[in-house]
Amino acid sequence: DAGVIQSPRHEVTEMGQEVTLRCKPISGHDYLFWYRQTMMRGLELLIYFNNNVPIDDSGMPEDRFSAKMPNASFSTLKIQPSEPRDSAVYFCASSPATARANTIYFGEGSWLTVV
Amino acid sequence: GDSVVQTEGQVLPSEGDSLIVNCSYETTQYPSLFWYVQYPGEGPQLHLKAMKANDKGRNKGFEAMYRKETTSFHLEKDSVQESDSAVYFCALRGEAGGFKTIFGAGTRLFVKA
C-alpha cells in the first residue's frame, strides 16, 4: 500500500512568495494532520481534519497559514506570504478511525527553506 | 492542556550499554501512549505503543511500561546497537480534542561504535 504522499519534497523560495504544500493521505483514513518540525520547537500540530472537516486549527501560527481538504484524498497547506521563520519540515500524517490506540502515519515531509 | 515531557535532548551511549529515555505526560484523560522513531530524511514512524495502565509496549528489544501512577512511559533497552541511532518521540493520544496526538520534544539517540 502507498503511504502518505507529500509534495514537493524540497522547496526553496524567496520571502514574500506563496508556498503550497500538498498531501495525499492513505486511502480510507478518516483523520489528516499537518505538523511542522523545527529544531527549536520540535513537532508542532498545526491543524487536523476529520472526514475533510477542520476540527482544530489552534496550532496554525497566524493568518498567513491556511489549510484545506477539498476531498478525502487531497489536502493543501498554504503560506502566503512566506517568511524566513517559516523554514521547517512540514509533515502530513493520516490515521484511521476514532479508536484512540490507532497509529498515525507520516509522510516523508516537505523541506521548506525561505530565503 | 495535554503535554509530554522528554527530559533528555540527546543521549550518547556506547554500543552494548543499557538505555533509559525518560518520558512523562500530563493529561486529564486516559490516553494511549506511543514511542515514535525518526530516521534521517524520513517522517516519524511508530516504534511501540501501550493502550492502558500496566501494558508494556515492545519492539526490537525496546520496552516501555505504561505507568499511570507516575504518569510515565520511559523507553528502555538492555543493550543498544549502532543501528538504534535515531530521534525518539514520546506521544499521547486520547479522546479529548478528537484524538489528536501530542508529541514530546524528542530525544536524539547516538550510539557510539
Side-chain angles (χ1 to χ4, degrees):
Chain A
D1 283 344
V4 175
I5 299 172
Q6 293 187 244
S7 64
R9 285 298 315 276
H10 299 271
E11 174 133 356
V12 180
T13 191
E14 291 186 347
M15 182 174 63
Q17 296 298 305
E18 178 179 293
V19 173
T20 299
L21 308 178
R22 298 172 179 81
C23 175
K24 177 178 168 50
I26 294 172
S27 177
H29 281 191
D30 297 322
Y31 284 87
L32 183 139
F33 306 83
W34 282 101
Y35 284 88
R36 178 172 68 176
Q37 185 175 33
T38 60
M39 288 293 293
M40 292 297 294
R41 301 175 70 92
L43 268 170
E44 302 174 273
L45 177 64
L46 301 178
I47 184 171
Y48 76 99
F49 297 81
N50 181 23
N51 293 323
N52 313 338
V53 176
I55 301 300
D56 184 347
D57 65 354
S58 59
M60 296 285 261
E62 48 199 273
D63 291 346
R64 298 185 297 107
F65 285 69
S66 62
K68 294 182 179 179
M69 192 166 185
N71 58 61
S73 59
F74 183 66
S75 177
T76 59
L77 178 67
K78 187 175 292 187
I79 309 172
Q80 167 63 19
S82 58
E83 297 182 3
R85 60 192 167 121
D86 301 330
S87 298
V89 184
Y90 291 82
F91 287 103
C92 178
S94 70
S95 171
T98 56
R100 65 187 179 94
N102 278 330
T103 305
I104 61 173
Y105 297 84
F106 284 82
E108 293 188 321
S110 292
W111 297 63
L112 173 65
T113 303
V114 183
V115 298
Chain B
D2 295 348
S3 65
V4 177
V5 177
Q6 294 178 240
T7 52
E8 301 99 349
Q10 180 170 268
V11 291
L12 299 164
S14 296
E15 203 164 39
D17 285 352
S18 62
L19 173 75
I20 298 178
V21 179
N22 292 309
C23 172
S24 299
Y25 65 92
E26 277 192 25
T27 181
T28 57
Q29 54 185 328
Y30 193 166
S32 295
L33 300 175
F34 303 82
W35 278 98
Y36 283 79
V37 61
Q38 185 178 27
Y39 299 103
E42 299 181 9
Q45 58 185 278
L46 179 68
H47 188 50
L48 55 83
K49 66 183 180 184
M51 289 184 282
K52 61 184 188 299
N54 301 319
D55 274 0
K56 184 178 280 189
R58 295 184 177 89
N59 186 29
K60 297 181 181 178
F62 288 86
E63 292 184 345
M65 172 75 82
Y66 189 142
R67 299 190 186 278
K68 193 167 187 286
E69 68 280 7
T70 56
T71 61
S72 64
F73 192 55
H74 306 317
L75 182 67
E76 301 183 33
K77 189 172 186 182
D78 286 340
S79 176
V80 293
Q81 303 169 6
E82 202 174 348
S83 59
D84 294 329
S85 297
V87 180
Y88 292 81
F89 293 94
C90 186
L92 69 81
R93 189 177 191 192
E95 295 181 14
F99 298 103
K100 65 183 181 182
T101 300
I102 305 299
F103 287 87
T107 298
R108 181 175 299 276
L109 173 63
F110 184 80
V111 180
K112 296 174 285 186

